[in-house]
Amino acid sequence: MTTRELIQQIKIKKSFLCIGLDVDLNKIPPHLLESEDPIFEFNKAIIDATHDLAVSYKPNTAFYEAYGIKGWISLQKTIKYINEKHPEMFTIADAKRGDIGNTSSMYAKAFFEDLNFDSVTVAPYMGKDSVEPFLAFENKHTIMLALTSNEGAFDFQTLQVDGVELYKQVLETSKTWKNSENLMYVVGATKAEYFTEIRKIIPDSFLLVPGAGAQGGSLSEVCKYGMNSNVGLLINSSRAIIYASNGIDFAKKARAEALKMQEEMAVILKSATF
């Protein structure tokens, strides 16, 4: 999917909602555990209930890898279902990969060619040659960790090196990499005060913003400081939507939570000028 196609979907759906498909068998409705593939059945129901309200789905691969080959098969079935039934959705493999060049090339092939995701999250710690293999894929996007929402983010990301915070240096350096136009960035919603500084460095890039919802991030604050002329935001919500209920009505309750966010986004989009 191209960036232009993603922007078009945001305008059509009046939404920039990304739903995280982080499936924990201890949290899904008990009746699903009787099915052959509980993870896929849960995902399918969530997707069927919310696809008109969201523009993106983001499975975190750890929640599938934890269940071994069965979990990986569930992930394959999930991405295949999205691509076949709702090809307009922007898909994100939240894998946080990042390794030496030839290994990164294999990771990129796994997510972009075999699974056919539109994007994958990566960690930039190993630098240019660990990220550029992902950037080499046409019409695929690499979503690089920039400033995360966890407490440990302050261990390294905001440390000053020669008077400049490390995360700012990472952002500046990433713009020099080959095919950097295919980069997006992860910025946590719980750090809304940083968006102004981030937009000075990467004014046109899309930002994937976790932390809205269960982690307490403010949607209005993120949009106030982080939105650009093409919206430029994908706001992720996982637990607040997918675990709104663990009863028979779980998909209906998930839709209700997604609708709340979509309606808030529609109001924000209406008041903005694009």
Side-chain angles (χ1 to χ4, degrees):
M1 175 179 282
T2 66
T3 303
R4 180 174 294 182
E5 289 170 334
L6 173 57
I7 294 168
Q8 185 63 21
Q9 284 302 308
I10 291 172
K11 292 178 178 178
I12 291 171
K13 293 184 175 180
K14 297 180 176 59
S15 171
F16 42 101
L17 174 62
C18 171
I19 296 177
L21 300 174
D22 303 346
V23 187
D24 184 341
L25 290 179
N26 294 315
K27 294 181 179 179
I28 69 173
H31 73 276
L32 291 177
L33 298 176
E34 301 172 5
S35 62
E36 182 179 348
D37 189 341
I39 294 175
F40 174 68
E41 292 303 325
F42 179 80
N43 282 342
K44 180 178 179 295
I46 296 292
I47 293 163
D48 289 345
T50 62
H51 66 87
D52 59 320
L53 303 174
V55 296
S56 178
Y57 288 113
K58 181 180 72 66
N60 185 312
T61 60
F63 287 85
Y64 301 84
E65 293 171 280
Y67 299 108
I69 187 63
K70 288 184 178 180
W72 198 258
I73 290 171
S74 298
L75 178 63
Q76 288 179 311
K77 290 166 66 174
T78 297
I79 186 63
K80 183 179 180 182
Y81 184 78
I82 296 170
N83 286 337
E84 289 183 353
K85 298 294 184 180
H86 306 290
E88 78 284 358
M89 303 300 299
F90 183 75
T91 55
I92 302 170
D94 190 0
K96 299 181 181 68
R97 299 300 198 251
D99 209 325
I100 59 174
N102 60 346
T103 307
S104 283
S105 294
M106 293 298 104
Y107 280 137
K109 283 176 63 68
F111 291 108
F112 290 151
E113 292 186 353
D114 181 50
L115 292 173
N116 197 22
F117 275 93
D118 292 311
S119 64
V120 62
T121 58
V122 303
Y125 190 79
M126 293 183 68
K128 174 172 119 173
D129 56 325
S130 71
V131 179
E132 284 188 339
F134 294 93
L135 296 173
F137 285 75
E138 187 176 2
N139 292 333
K140 299 291 185 178
H141 304 270
T142 302
I143 309 178
M144 198 176 80
L145 299 176
L147 188 61
T148 54
S149 57
N150 61 304
E151 183 180 348
F154 296 104
D155 289 347
F156 301 115
Q157 295 169 30
T158 57
L159 289 182
Q160 292 205 355
V161 181
D162 296 329
V164 181
E165 292 98 326
L166 181 58
Y167 80 90
K168 291 182 180 179
Q169 297 188 36
V170 170
L171 290 172
E172 288 282 10
T173 301
S174 71
K175 296 194 299 182
T176 69
W177 295 342
K178 188 175 182 180
N179 299 319
S180 60
E181 66 275 9
N182 294 334
L183 277 172
M184 298 180 176
Y185 300 88
V186 176
V187 180
T190 54
K191 294 178 171 54
E193 67 272 20
Y194 291 93
F195 277 83
T196 300
E197 292 299 306
I198 289 170
R199 278 305 188 199
K200 290 178 183 178
I201 303 171
I202 46 169
D204 301 321
S205 301
F206 260 86
L207 307 179
L208 172 63
V209 185
Q215 294 183 47
S218 167
L219 176 60
S220 60
E221 286 291 295
V222 168
C223 292
K224 179 180 179 180
Y225 299 109
M227 190 173 281
N228 64 18
S229 60
N230 286 318
V231 182
L233 297 172
L234 290 173
I235 305 295
N236 180 76
S237 180
S238 301
R239 288 170 287 168
I241 291 176
I242 67 174
Y243 297 131
S245 169
N246 71 341
I248 299 293
D249 63 346
F250 75 97
K252 181 179 179 181
K253 289 296 179 64
R255 177 177 177 82
E257 290 300 317
L259 182 60
K260 289 179 186 176
M261 292 195 71
Q262 185 274 328
E263 288 177 337
E264 188 176 352
M265 290 174 177
V267 172
I268 292 170
L269 291 172
K270 187 176 181 180
S271 64
T273 56
F274 300 109

